[in-house]
Amino acid sequence: MDLRAGVNLVCGLLGDGSPGLAADITAASATDLRLGPGQRVAFTVKARKVSIHRAR
């Protein structure tokens, strides 16, 4: 997780350690979900809310 201006960037890794999905969530959502660095999570995607960007 990376905190940027009240928004948390949550990054997922694939089983082989390569980059997977990333999502911006609010600090309140991170608190509600009890997210912390290194914690395993599952992503659920709502198709209308998806933006695809080139990898950094």
Side-chain angles (χ1 to χ4, degrees):
M1 265 180 15
D2 179 29
L3 183 60
R4 296 176 289 134
V7 175
N8 291 288
L9 175 62
V10 178
C11 299
L13 300 176
L14 300 177
D16 64 0
S18 61
L21 295 175
D24 288 326
I25 64 170
T26 65
S29 292
T31 299
D32 288 346
L33 294 169
R34 298 185 187 134
L35 296 180
Q39 185 175 356
R40 293 180 64 110
V41 298
F43 284 81
T44 302
V45 178
K46 184 184 266 188
R48 292 187 300 179
K49 302 287 184 177
V50 174
S51 297
I52 299 175
H53 306 275
R54 289 185 183 264
R56 298 181 201 179

